[in-house]
Amino acid sequence: MKMSFSKFLDNESGATAIEYGLIGALISVIIITAVKLVGSNLSQTFDKIAQNLS
């Protein structure tokens, strides 16, 4: 019993999965923020081009 409890405490596979999940979430937030910024800047650029063509 003591040996199996020791193995349970030494097992770090769950912590590694949580770390990968947090890294994935952080990367997702960065990508979403970048796409929103680029999208709004691109929209403004197309609006300026459309106004100059009119």
Side-chain angles (χ1 to χ4, degrees):
M1 179 73 174
K2 190 175 188 181
M3 188 71 135
S4 63
F5 187 70
S6 175
K7 286 182 183 179
F8 176 74
L9 290 178
D10 290 336
N11 187 357
E12 295 183 2
S13 62
T16 303
I18 291 171
E19 290 170 358
Y20 283 132
L22 290 173
I23 291 170
L26 180 63
I27 290 171
S28 299
V29 168
I30 291 170
I31 289 172
I32 290 169
T33 303
V35 167
K36 282 187 176 184
L37 289 174
V38 170
S40 64
N41 289 340
L42 191 59
S43 177
Q44 291 173 356
T45 302
F46 282 134
D47 288 341
K48 287 180 185 177
I49 291 171
Q51 288 173 355
N52 288 334
L53 291 176
S54 298

